[in-house]
Amino acid sequence: MPPELETPRRVLIVEDEHIVRMHLKLAVQQLGYAVSGLAANSNEALRAADQATPHIVLMDIRLPGGRDGIETARELKRQHDVAVVFLTAYGDDASIARANELGADGYIVKPFSTPQLRATLASALRERDRRREEHGDSPRIAPPPTRAAPVRFGEGTRLALFSHDTLGLGHLHRSMNIARALTARHPGLSVLLLTGSPAVHRYALPEGVDYIKLPAVKKVAAEEYEARSLGLDGKGVLEMRTNLILRSLQDYAPDVLLVDHAPVGMKGEMRPTLEWLTRQRPGCVKILGLRDVIDDAEYVRGLWRERGTYDVLEKLYDRVFVYGTREIYDPTVEYGFPPAVAAKTAFCNYVREHRPEGIGDEASAIEPHAKKLVTVTIGGGDGGGETVIGNYLQMLRRFSGEVDFESVILSGPFLPADLHRRFVEEIQGLPARLVDFVPSTSPFLARADLVISTCGYNTMTQNLSWARRALIVPRVMHRQEQWIRAKRFADLGFVDCLHPDATTPEKLFERVRAALDDPREPLTAARADGRIALDGTDRIADMLGEFVFA
């Protein structure tokens, strides 16, 4: 693989002071770069570069021995075409003049700060890439597949699925459901999933599917993110994800790109890739897959106008798939799609779990319940823990003399550790058990007499597919999406709905008692009457199956 396609970028550190050298090594690694070598003088630097060619060199101007840092940098540039950032504690005019003559890509004055180091490295690498592209020495990209004749979507086709996964499990679940359906319908299809979900390794991949794990992030405010695990700030992890996405899809050369929900990913991380595919691979069909509800309509319209999203939909995407039905919620109207975008939008119906084998085997693993069963789920667990599970456990204890049912509580893998420890303690002695992760909630929902849940897209679709009765307590942590969806399905008579601000142990018990005493099963009836369209994966497989590639 050409060095320019390897990630992370490699940094050679040349510094004669051991403590400063080690400090630089730690800082560079925390910023997401790889340290290709450490050197204390010119000879060590040249040997290190021969052994592992760096992309950029952090070079102390003053080195011991025959050659100083400027002469060493000149030789490194000649041999390896590296970017050079000079380190200096002096900044005297003569040295700066010599460095400028060489064509330095940046300067860092010691003592340095991490933000200064981050900005200087990023700027120097961008300048190097620009310079190489202008001189026709841009990174080499794997050639796209060659075909003797046009072929229909299926065997030999390359599909890329992008799922930014900044909160919960919904995006990953939806992408995996689509991947399973497509590979089952179209044997020989190649699917590459790019995901930021820290839980992707827990899922079995169907044949023909592989994934690239992007650094995980977590949402800390509306449109604001930070690294979930790495020692990177929001800007650093954004840059790292952006580079990984672009380089991966340049090499994979997809015939189809299906982006889940976020038109340009997290804070624009997908835009360079969309623009590159539009320029360099115009035959690649770029599709945006939108869930039924994004957020409050006025907020989305304002945000999309401010960020140029309407132009992205019009110029960088070929199709838009809506994972829902126009009758329940119509994003083309609510979010003011321009005519050109509305014309290329198709409604696919709801994307349910693609499990052709059914749920019998998993359902049989759940212990029989002599009493009625309530299943409580909050999706991935990133939100709703205190409101739903906390209040529910208080309800079970407060009304213990009147509770004649059992409970299974699915907390999700992303429930904060302090809440999980607290819930483990609080559930002791109650007629309930706590489970943090299951590959599928389907058997738990199908067995339940009542489901209490949040209202993320995936969680709600599971309810629509398997539950008999549901009480929805939507999460409204950063957006109104779940409340809008919950209210819409409640207005249709499919579910009961309780706003999180009105959720108390007393109110929960009142709603639970009423639901369990009511013989009607609204969701069962809705499915039987054909009022819920859940064939989204089949519709997507049908539509993609019509594509032909040269």
Side-chain angles (χ1 to χ4, degrees):
M1 179 182 291
E4 290 79 12
L5 293 184
E6 295 182 15
T7 54
R9 299 289 191 98
R10 295 191 301 276
V11 181
L12 170 60
I13 298 171
V14 186
E15 165 61 53
D16 65 331
E17 293 186 29
H18 177 76
I19 293 177
V20 177
R21 196 163 59 243
M22 293 300 101
H23 185 189
L24 279 167
K25 177 184 177 182
L26 179 61
V28 164
Q29 291 174 330
Q30 288 178 338
L31 289 174
Y33 297 98
V35 175
S36 65
L38 299 170
N41 56 51
S42 179
N43 290 336
E44 290 180 5
L46 296 173
R47 283 197 299 269
D50 286 339
Q51 293 170 0
T53 304
H55 298 104
I56 188 168
V57 179
L58 287 174
M59 175 70 71
D60 191 0
I61 287 181
R62 301 203 172 186
L63 293 177
R67 277 187 296 250
D68 67 3
I70 296 175
E71 288 302 316
T72 305
R74 190 186 308 279
E75 187 65 19
L76 287 170
K77 273 182 168 287
R78 186 185 68 80
Q79 293 185 18
H80 302 289
D81 190 23
V82 295
V84 175
V85 171
F86 284 108
L87 304 166
T88 179
Y90 305 99
D92 61 277
D93 292 341
S95 295
I96 296 299
R98 290 176 61 212
N100 284 337
E101 181 183 352
L102 172 69
D105 298 288
Y107 301 88
I108 294 177
V109 178
K110 297 183 283 188
F112 62 89
S113 66
T114 299
Q116 179 191 14
L117 181 64
R118 178 190 299 112
T120 305
L121 287 173
S123 176
L125 285 167
R126 282 196 298 269
E127 177 60 20
R128 173 181 180 270
D129 290 346
R130 183 196 63 76
R131 185 170 63 243
R132 290 170 65 84
E133 188 171 1
E134 286 182 354
H135 289 84
D137 194 16
S138 56
R140 289 167 285 169
I141 307 302
T146 56
R147 300 184 173 96
V151 297
R152 190 174 294 278
F153 181 92
E155 184 174 1
T157 304
R158 300 184 186 186
L159 168 68
L161 288 174
F162 172 72
S163 177
H164 73 311
D165 294 295
T166 57
L167 189 68
L169 289 171
H171 303 290
L172 175 62
H173 271 295
R174 188 161 52 239
S175 296
M176 292 292 285
N177 289 336
I178 292 171
R180 289 191 186 98
L182 291 178
T183 52
R185 177 78 71 85
H186 301 286
L189 174 68
S190 170
V191 180
L192 177 64
L193 170 66
L194 291 93
T195 173
S197 174
V200 63
H201 64 284
R202 297 192 180 198
Y203 294 88
L205 297 177
E207 185 176 353
V209 180
D210 206 340
Y211 70 87
I212 290 176
K213 170 67 175 63
L214 303 173
V217 298
K218 58 184 177 182
K219 179 172 281 190
V220 295
E223 303 303 323
E224 293 297 327
Y225 307 88
E226 62 183 32
R228 187 180 288 271
S229 304
L230 297 180
L232 298 173
D233 63 8
K235 182 180 178 182
V237 74
L238 172 62
E239 185 172 277
M240 190 173 181
R241 284 169 57 110
T242 301
N243 291 337
L244 279 169
I245 295 164
L246 176 60
R247 300 301 187 191
S248 300
L249 292 189
Q250 283 177 335
D251 220 28
Y252 183 59
D255 298 298
V256 180
L257 169 65
L258 179 55
V259 174
D260 185 80
H261 168 63
V264 291
M266 179 192 74
K267 298 182 77 65
E269 63 187 351
M270 270 300 296
R271 186 185 287 269
T273 297
L274 290 168
E275 292 173 345
W276 185 87
L277 288 171
T278 300
R279 291 193 312 269
Q280 302 296 331
R281 286 190 54 75
C284 174
V285 181
K286 301 179 295 299
I287 306 169
L288 174 66
L290 290 177
R291 64 185 183 223
D292 54 351
V293 182
I294 300 172
D295 203 344
D296 172 74
E298 184 176 350
Y299 172 76
V300 171
R301 289 183 184 222
L303 186 67
W304 281 9
R305 283 193 297 267
E306 174 189 335
R307 300 195 172 181
T309 304
Y310 291 114
D311 285 340
V312 170
L313 298 181
E314 190 163 346
K315 297 175 182 177
L316 297 181
Y317 280 101
D318 303 296
R319 301 288 299 275
V320 178
F321 288 175
V322 176
Y323 302 142
T325 61
R326 193 186 299 272
E327 294 75 21
I328 291 179
Y329 198 85
D330 189 347
T332 67
V333 174
E334 297 292 338
Y335 307 133
F337 281 22
V341 177
K344 58 186 177 185
T345 299
F347 284 79
C348 304
N349 299 336
Y350 283 87
V351 175
R352 70 181 294 176
E353 190 173 21
H354 183 79
R355 307 175 73 223
E357 76 282 4
I359 62 169
D361 292 342
E362 288 188 32
S364 65
I366 301 176
E367 300 94 337
H369 291 268
K371 300 178 180 179
K372 290 186 175 181
L373 175 65
V374 177
T375 293
V376 181
T377 175
I378 57 171
D382 262 329
E386 188 69 73
T387 303
V388 180
I389 298 178
N391 277 303
Y392 190 81
L393 292 176
Q394 288 186 48
M395 179 204 76
L396 291 180
R397 193 166 300 280
R398 191 167 301 176
F399 295 92
S400 58
E402 302 174 63
V403 171
D404 57 356
F405 51 86
E406 299 177 2
S407 303
V408 173
I409 300 172
L410 309 177
S411 62
F414 303 142
L415 182 74
D418 57 338
L419 278 183
H420 185 268
R421 287 191 296 268
R422 200 187 93 197
F423 293 158
V424 168
E425 294 177 1
E426 291 182 359
I427 205 170
Q428 300 303 313
L430 298 176
R433 63 188 178 107
L434 185 69
V435 181
D436 64 351
F437 175 79
V438 292
S440 171
T441 60
S442 300
F444 296 88
L445 271 55
R447 277 288 188 91
D449 296 277
L450 171 66
V451 174
I452 300 175
S453 76
T454 48
C455 200
Y457 180 95
N458 183 71
T459 301
M460 192 62 204
T461 304
Q462 288 288 83
N463 279 325
L464 297 176
S465 301
W466 306 108
R468 290 181 265 166
R469 309 173 184 86
L471 168 60
I472 306 300
V473 183
R475 184 184 65 218
V476 293
M477 189 164 52
H478 299 303
R479 51 169 52 111
Q480 295 299 309
E481 168 222 342
Q482 293 200 13
W483 172 245
I484 295 169
R485 182 180 296 113
K487 191 69 169 58
R488 181 60 181 145
F489 281 110
D491 290 343
L492 291 169
F494 293 173
V495 300
D496 190 11
C497 175
L498 184 60
H499 193 280
D501 292 345
T503 301
T504 63
E506 293 75 17
K507 184 64 69 174
L508 272 178
F509 187 72
E510 174 188 320
R511 298 292 184 92
V512 169
R513 188 74 279 159
L516 293 177
D517 290 344
D518 190 337
R520 294 175 299 171
E521 297 182 3
L523 286 168
T524 305
R527 287 192 294 270
D529 295 341
R531 298 178 64 198
I532 306 175
L534 295 165
D535 59 342
T537 56
D538 292 332
R539 294 284 296 274
I540 294 168
D542 289 342
M543 288 188 285
L544 292 183
E546 297 300 316
F547 291 176
V548 176
F549 305 96

